[in-house]
Amino acid sequence: ELGWLAARLGAAWLSLVFALIVLPSALGVSLGISEAYMWVLVKTLEWATIRIEKGVKKPQPEVLKTPAANGIIERDETPMEKEVTGLHRMEFQFSDIFYFCRKGFEAIVEDEVTQRFSSEELVSWNLLTRTNVNFHYISLRLTVVWVIGVIVRYCLLLPLRFTLAAIGITSMIVGTTLVGQLPNSSVKNYLSEVVHLTCSRILVRALSGTIHYHNKENKPQKGGICVANHTSPIDAIILTNDGCYAMVGQVHGGLMGVIQRATVKACPHVWFERSEIKDRHLVTKRLREHVADKSKLPILIFPEGTCINNTSVMMFKKGSFEIGGTIYPVAIKYDPQFGDAFWNSSKYNIVSYLLRIMTSWAIVCNVWYMPPMVRKEGEDAVQFANRVRSAIAHQGGLTELPWDGGLKRAKVKDSFKEEQQKNYSKMLVRNGSIG
Amino acid sequence: SVSHSQITRLYSRFTSLDKRENGTLSREDFQRIPELAINPLGDRIINAFFPEGEDQVNFRGFMRTLAHFRPIEDNEKSKDQNGPEPLNSRSNKLHFAFQLYDLDKDEKISRDELLQVLRMMVGVNISDEQLGSIADRTIQEADQDGDNAISFAEFVKVLEKVDVEQKMSIRFLH
């Protein structure tokens, strides 16, 4: 009796999901359900913000309002030369140590780099426990809303999203394997695009994603290289929701490996074995061959090499900019109020990360397609990479940092310290005289 | 005195540096800050946080060391004339800097200690002879009692015209 009821409910549930979400995704239409959800969400969060501000003003005179993006301390940007030497004297003073000392302490209190490897702090609480850092109990009403939020997110949204994700991934594997059986032809390419787009759309809905694409006329063309800032593994899905790309990456095991092997049959994605990826020349050569074939889909690359917290763009590795061809820069900026997309891989593994994403309110982001860029005469790969990076940072409203994202795990190179020592030495022995 | 929000922020910073999540910081935790790792005096600065012979510093110790860098005008607000001299007084700021030079903590900066610190700041770019001359000249100018070393009093005298308050202070924005 009970089993039969459960089966009936399960079937009803699945048919609802198919009718309301999967089918529209396949056809590329929207029924407006997500829009309605977002509207309710925005209203609720606005209400919560007002209540928090009212609540905080009563007990404490100090209000933690300004976002951490402005920094906690005043950083003195006076260059070494000005601070250390003063106007006339260019010789060692005991006070020279003050410059290094203060810079050191400033870095200890707040540094530009390590903060990029943890999630951005919110201005106002968004009713998720995980972001509740500095906010205290305000009122009963707010707590009730929070509890409702927890129930909605874990009991309603999470199962729904999980179902969708399962459908999306399964369709991707099955669909691409089927299409892969066809002989190479324009029909095959067309079907491959349909499968990839549909599955991406389903997966985006599995995250309650609301994405605004800007400047679609600049969308990456075939034979080009699409370059974007990296915040999360879902960046790729965000982009494939609106277009077809040839993915580039390392071969993984497990479910990811299955997806990779299936999709490459339908569409020429570029997957590298672990051993191959260490050989930079091999990688560049293969990508160059792909890009040279103008009938092939644009490749998608994230030159930072690692996930950054979406407040800044870190150093772009020059490898992607040595391939040649046209670069299509894309800026992706997530709105942290609805859900934190950043994957802090040292803190969470991929499963915990996906769980957190699926129990957030939504993933809201803006994607800007930017005009294509090519390497200029006399510009080397590093300069070109920096130029593209500036453009992306500027468009997305992110700060630019010359530091390597690899510093998440690795130590900084000694050459930077040596550079500082060199600069200081120059001041001591200026004009050949010894001070 | 330090505001509630500043303490919260510094505690937040402390915990984010504490990778092993055991309530204390080790030298490695500080070394992980790239801007500090490339500072020529990075090791001396890190050392200032760790009391003699210790390898761990807790939040209290962390705050104590940072307190040296509070701006002096903060003291005017507390006006506690009878209490001990605050850590961020001009004299204590100078003593903090003095200890960065005084490697063996004997309250004197010897020629050898000065040379070692100079070597940290210039790296490989200046020869031993040149560096030796710089050290000799510096000590000669500051040494008043002729013992070829700099005591704290002599150190203070040399820096009497320097705006220590401005150079050795960090201002919070909130």
Side-chain angles (χ1 to χ4, degrees), chain A residues 300-320:
Chain A
L300 179 56
I301 295 184
F302 298 102
E304 281 164 306
T306 188
C307 295
I308 312 292
N309 76 347
N310 208 229
T311 57
S312 73
V313 187
M314 296 184 93
M315 189 181 95
F316 272 3
K317 301 205 188 318
K318 62 174 180 168
S320 325

Side-chain angles (χ1 to χ4, degrees), chain A residues 87-156:
Chain A
L87 280 173
H88 305 288
R89 295 170 308 188
M90 281 174 219
E91 39 188 33
F92 172 71
Q93 305 284 331
F94 274 116
S95 53
D96 286 357
I97 208 177
F98 292 165
Y99 171 79
F100 292 111
C101 197
R102 200 191 65 239
K103 280 261 166 274
F105 271 81
E106 278 174 356
I108 289 172
V109 175
E110 178 183 54
D111 78 295
E112 279 303 320
V113 185
T114 59
Q115 59 168 285
R116 312 294 169 185
F117 302 138
S118 59
S119 299
E120 193 184 346
E121 223 179 278
L122 291 176
V123 182
S124 158
W125 190 36
N126 64 349
L127 299 175
L128 297 175
T129 324
R130 64 193 70 150
T131 50
N132 191 351
V133 175
N134 287 320
F135 305 105
H136 315 285
Y137 173 84
I138 301 292
S139 72
L140 184 63
R141 248 187 273 183
L142 201 63
T143 311
V144 167
V145 172
W146 173 72
V147 170
I148 296 175
V150 171
I151 297 173
V152 165
R153 285 184 294 121
Y154 281 84
C155 303
L156 186 62

Side-chain angles (χ1 to χ4, degrees), chain A residues 86 92 110 196 284 350 354 380 419:
Chain A
F92 172 71
E110 178 183 54
H196 277 95
T284 314
I350 185 79
L354 287 172
D380 70 11
E419 208 182 300

